[in-house]
Amino acid sequence: MKKILVVEDNSINMRLIKMTLGNKGYSLLEATDGEEALAVAVKERPDLIIMDVRLPKVNGLEVTRRLRQTPGLSQIPTLALTAYAMKGDREKAIEAGCDAYIPKPINTRQLPEVVAEMLRRGRASINGDASGAENPCR
Ligand code: MN
């Protein structure tokens, strides 16, 4: 069973993501801040991480940067959740080592498709805007 770490500090979004992915046969792990995300990633070595960019303690970009520098964790496909209005977040997410991003509010049809595609294809398989027209996941 593929393990997915969901990192999200907003409880409504967390519940939405878990509902969206809950019936797909994944093992879902959760973290609600950056420190917890790092700890769970080290302990559980998930197959994919869904990473909110704006998090307490250590933000999602910094978490991703640290994971990319950690042997054994550097290749985990990471999908950033970016605030729709914050265009700069997207470029920063890719710079930090995220493989793709989707804007909030979360599209509950798109998310499981992107997740499945990233699990199938691995790191940097999408590399950019997973909501874009040219994206193979759409
Ligand atoms: Mn947040």
Side-chain angles (χ1 to χ4, degrees):
M1 189 184 280
K2 296 284 189 189
K3 265 194 246 182
I4 299 175
L5 170 57
V6 183
V7 186
E8 172 59 85
D9 61 315
N10 179 294
S11 61
I12 294 169
N13 277 333
M14 175 66 86
R15 203 180 318 147
L16 184 70
I17 294 165
K18 288 175 76 179
M19 271 171 50
T20 303
L21 299 174
N23 61 349
K24 308 280 183 199
Y26 302 130
S27 169
L28 297 179
L29 310 165
E30 58 182 278
T32 56
D33 66 55
E35 280 178 8
E36 193 186 6
L38 286 162
V40 176
V42 167
K43 184 163 175 267
E44 299 283 348
R45 298 183 173 242
D47 297 291
L48 182 138
I49 300 174
I50 297 172
M51 181 75 73
D52 181 27
V53 167
R54 291 165 183 256
L55 291 169
K57 296 186 185 174
V58 181
N59 74 44
L61 302 179
E62 184 57 28
V63 172
T64 304
R65 263 184 225 112
R66 291 191 200 174
L67 292 175
R68 291 290 174 248
Q69 290 164 5
T70 306
L73 301 176
S74 63
Q75 296 303 311
I76 301 174
T78 300
L79 174 63
L81 303 177
T82 61
Y84 187 72
M86 298 292 186
K87 291 205 167 165
D89 273 7
R90 305 173 188 186
E91 288 71 38
K92 285 184 207 153
I94 298 302
E95 250 174 52
C98 294
D99 301 295
Y101 50 83
I102 59 174
K104 290 184 176 184
I106 295 161
N107 178 326
T108 55
R109 267 183 61 173
Q110 179 196 17
L111 180 68
E113 290 172 9
V114 173
V115 164
E117 186 71 9
M118 289 181 78
L119 282 170
R120 196 170 68 77
R121 292 166 55 170
R123 258 217 79 196
S125 54
I126 296 173
N127 209 349
D129 185 353
S131 67
E134 71 279 29
N135 192 281
C137 291
R138 260 181 86 96

